[in-house]
Amino acid sequence: MNDMREKAAEPVHGQMTYDESVAWLTAPGADWELVTETVRGVEYQVFKNLPATLRDVYQQACQDHGDKDFLVFQDTRLTYAETYERVAALTHQLIHRYGVKKGDRVAIGMRNYPPALGVKSIGVRWEDELPEGVDDFDDVWREAAGQPMPDVDLGPHDDVTILFTSGTTGFPKGAVSTHRGVLSGIGSWGFYGAQRIAMGLLEEPEENPEFQPSILMPLPLFHVSGSHAGLLASFGVGRKIVMMYKWNPELGLELIERERVTSFNGVPTMTWEMLQSPSLNERDLRSLIAVSGGGAPIPGGMVDRLQALMPDKHWSFGWGMTETNAGGAGNTDEGLVEKPDSCGKPCPIVELKIIDDDGNELPTGEQGELIMKSSMNIRGYWNRPEATAETIQDGWLRTGDIAEIDEDGFLYIRDRKKDMVLRGGENIYCAEIERVVYQHPAVYEAAAFGVPDDRLGEELAVVVVPKDGADLDAAEVRTHVGEHLARFKVPRYVWLQDEQLPRGATEKIHKRTLRDQMLREAPEFHQCAR
């Protein structure tokens, strides 16, 4: 390891291989040095130099980036110093005005009215008269303006967040994470950036007087991508956060141009919608240097379109979950071009395995359930001990994803286990079907899922939204799928509709809603005889 660091310190370190860069960055004394730590009786590899708590991250960010823009939202613009002043004042009030103690839970319900549960509530950006018993946010923090951040005894293994799973395939559960878990997830993205620099795939960050590092953030803060990859990961690098009230691709392009945004992070369908925008070529997007995302499969053909339209930009898409604090594996630049349907490789603090239904590890290239061991994993589910015991075993998190790992160590997510269609004994992965359907030039978006069938157990259905003005019918969709996949993977049911597919709060397509609608309206579907 030490020899590798000496070799990497030479000017040729930008030519390092993947394995050489990992060894150099994680060696003793390096910025990303790895050490072993025992947490709740399980040994994990962790980054030695991570901050202890998120409080430390906030304070360091204010010290390093105080005068820089931190937040732009509609008519609000705040610097890091102004934001920290409000955070410190609000924290003071939570303790001294509202009696919040260590271990208490404070719920944030933005874009919702405060719950009628007898809880003390603070209204934010309230346009109408505040309901009785609700305090105004501006009044609360200004009352304590100038107060220092209260001194609270916090450690890396204290709980810090309860984020609820998206619920697209089941009832949402409250995922409890510690400071160490969240910071490990954030640290993994910092590691990937350092690794790309070491391999010569990314230039060293420099102060740019024209474009402050910034990110367009369309995702809600109750989602790990919005909270962690968008908000919390910005503090260490002094990024400006351009936040959206609700996703709209045309507004997103407008904000990138107006605020000189340098990076975009969202669900892949958001990137896809911007790439399909009729105004894309009219926008000045010179400031944008990086596009990233996760949380859903990449639509087929999207990487090719990115490469054609933005050949000098950096792209990064990966795999992560609420239960992994959005960290896991990442695929970037050349890796995406060579293996566009892969989520990439895991960072050094992540161990991955593929297991069968009996829990046995499967060999390279075979498909099974993905399990993950890492310090970034959640501690458990809030008040759900049975679900916790079922999901986390000896430090390994059962993801519920069907996946495989190839001979190069690249991860491929084939589908959610609950989304897999079992048709007459054959496994059909909906994500694979969607990737192929998206490759049809007339398709704007699509979703595949299974419906009950008396003879085969399940049948495959696909809902397709054509592009504006496109001429597309069910038979053409089925023919297109049949030209790329085996006959048993051709959907029996194809439903064409004009309106956008339903989405959940995190902008993922909500398949349960589509499936329920199909089962109610089955006679209206285009059913094609075989």
Side-chain angles (χ1 to χ4, degrees):
M1 285 291 221
N2 288 328
D3 291 340
M4 180 60 67
R5 278 177 50 78
E6 291 172 6
K7 176 183 177 182
E10 299 173 1
V12 296
H13 79 269
Q15 302 173 9
M16 275 191 269
T17 66
Y18 184 95
D19 291 339
E20 288 172 344
S21 66
V22 171
W24 181 73
L25 289 167
T26 60
D31 289 343
W32 299 96
E33 178 181 352
L34 289 180
V35 294
T36 301
E37 182 175 311
T38 301
V39 181
R40 294 183 293 277
V42 178
E43 287 190 349
Y44 298 96
Q45 289 284 291
V46 301
F47 293 125
K48 179 181 178 180
N49 299 318
L50 284 181
T53 69
L54 287 171
R55 174 197 177 106
D56 300 328
V57 174
Y58 276 99
Q59 291 181 318
Q60 189 64 47
C62 178
Q63 177 181 320
D64 293 345
H65 311 296
D67 294 333
K68 293 180 180 178
D69 282 342
F70 167 68
L71 176 69
V72 175
F73 177 69
Q74 296 180 353
D75 58 347
T76 297
R77 188 178 294 267
L78 296 172
T79 67
Y80 273 80
E82 290 169 336
T83 304
Y84 187 81
E85 180 187 23
R86 297 188 183 196
V87 170
L90 179 61
T91 306
H92 175 91
Q93 294 289 66
L94 288 175
I95 294 173
H96 297 287
R97 178 170 174 168
Y98 296 99
V100 173
K101 304 181 298 297
K102 181 177 178 179
D104 288 345
R105 293 158 317 279
V106 178
I108 301 176
M110 296 297 189
R111 280 173 54 184
N112 295 310
Y113 290 95
L117 299 174
V119 297
K120 296 178 180 179
S121 301
I122 302 172
V124 181
R125 299 180 68 89
W126 207 274
E127 296 180 357
D128 302 318
E129 185 177 349
L130 285 168
E132 183 178 355
V134 178
D135 297 325
D136 182 80
F137 173 78
D138 287 331
D139 293 339
V140 171
W141 82 261
R142 286 191 175 115
E143 184 181 275
Q147 291 287 344
M149 184 76 77
D151 187 16
V152 179
D153 181 23
L154 295 175
H157 304 300
D158 286 326
D159 293 342
V160 65
T161 59
I162 304 177
L163 295 176
F164 281 79
T165 57
S166 61
T168 53
T169 58
F171 193 77
K173 298 184 287 291
V176 183
S177 291
T178 64
H179 287 267
R180 173 54 53 82
V182 173
L183 287 166
S184 293
I186 297 171
S188 70
W189 303 314
F191 173 84
Y192 280 130
Q195 185 183 32
R196 291 166 78 188
I197 292 172
M199 295 176 66
L201 302 176
L202 192 66
E203 294 181 358
E204 292 275 3
E206 297 177 357
E207 288 291 332
N208 188 325
E210 186 178 4
F211 307 135
Q212 176 187 348
S214 54
I215 184 171
L216 177 66
M217 201 176 74
L219 296 169
L221 291 176
F222 57 74
H223 185 263
V224 286
S225 291
S227 170
H228 300 1
L231 173 68
L232 297 178
S234 295
F235 280 88
V237 294
R239 279 195 312 205
K240 174 178 67 175
I241 298 172
V242 181
M243 190 178 294
M244 301 179 68
Y245 178 76
K246 190 175 183 180
W247 170 243
N248 178 289
E250 297 304 322
L251 177 58
L253 289 169
E254 177 186 330
L255 288 171
I256 292 172
E257 180 179 41
R258 187 178 76 204
E259 292 293 333
R260 314 313 295 152
V261 169
T262 62
S263 62
F264 174 77
N265 179 56
V267 177
T269 49
M270 293 177 173
T271 300
W272 176 259
E273 288 174 356
M274 287 198 296
L275 290 172
Q276 302 298 317
S277 168
S279 68
L280 179 67
N281 293 329
E282 302 170 7
R283 296 292 183 183
D284 179 2
L285 305 180
R286 287 175 299 162
S287 63
L288 188 66
I289 60 174
V291 176
S292 61
I298 299 175
M302 191 174 87
V303 172
D304 291 338
R305 186 155 172 77
L306 278 171
Q307 188 178 22
L309 294 176
M310 308 168 65
D312 57 338
K313 310 299 182 183
H314 299 283
W315 326 308
S316 176
F317 293 91
W319 169 86
M321 305 171 64
T322 302
E323 288 89 341
T324 68
N325 281 296
N331 199 3
T332 63
D333 298 331
E334 284 83 354
L336 270 174
V337 174
E338 295 173 6
K339 303 186 180 189
D341 56 343
S342 172
C343 300
K345 294 184 178 183
C347 82
I349 61 170
V350 171
E351 295 180 63
L352 300 178
K353 288 182 182 179
I354 307 296
I355 61 172
D356 62 19
D357 290 339
D358 296 322
N360 302 308
E361 184 174 2
L362 294 172
T364 298
E366 290 199 18
Q367 295 182 1
E369 183 179 3
L370 174 67
I371 62 174
M372 171 173 159
K373 179 181 176 184
S374 175
S375 58
M376 67 179 67
N377 287 352
I378 62 170
R379 177 177 64 77
Y381 295 114
W382 180 251
N383 287 340
R384 298 285 297 274
E386 297 85 2
T388 300
E390 180 181 351
T391 302
I392 304 175
Q393 298 162 8
D394 298 323
W396 289 90
L397 178 91
R398 299 196 65 156
T399 68
D401 282 334
I402 301 297
E404 65 182 90
I405 299 174
D406 70 12
E407 65 279 359
D408 298 320
F410 279 75
L411 173 68
Y412 297 78
I413 301 294
R414 296 309 183 191
D415 215 340
R416 289 292 293 165
K417 198 170 184 179
K418 294 179 180 178
D419 274 355
M420 185 187 75
V421 177
L422 185 59
R423 179 189 180 277
E426 297 279 8
N427 293 342
I428 302 176
Y429 299 117
C430 292
E432 179 185 27
I433 306 301
E434 291 162 0
R435 277 194 293 271
V436 169
V437 174
Y438 266 106
Q439 290 171 1
H440 192 289
V443 171
Y444 179 73
E445 61 181 0
F449 47 87
V451 293
D453 184 82
D454 291 337
R455 184 171 69 89
L456 298 173
E458 282 187 296
E459 267 289 10
L460 179 64
V462 177
V463 180
V464 176
V465 178
K467 293 179 181 177
D468 289 342
D471 184 15
L472 185 67
D473 59 28
E476 187 174 352
V477 172
R478 298 181 74 249
T479 298
H480 172 74
V481 174
E483 290 172 349
H484 294 83
L485 299 175
R487 180 177 171 80
F488 73 87
K489 295 181 180 180
V490 174
R492 180 169 187 178
Y493 301 103
V494 176
W495 186 19
L496 300 175
Q497 67 176 46
D498 294 330
E499 63 269 21
Q500 186 184 64
L501 299 182
R503 283 156 164 75
T506 58
E507 289 296 326
K508 295 180 183 178
I509 293 172
H510 210 277
K511 292 187 180 182
R512 281 193 299 149
T513 301
L514 281 173
R515 183 177 182 274
D516 291 346
Q517 183 180 355
M518 179 175 184
L519 294 179
R520 290 194 307 267
E521 304 175 6
E524 300 181 12
F525 277 76
H526 301 268
Q527 180 174 346
C528 303
R530 292 191 176 277

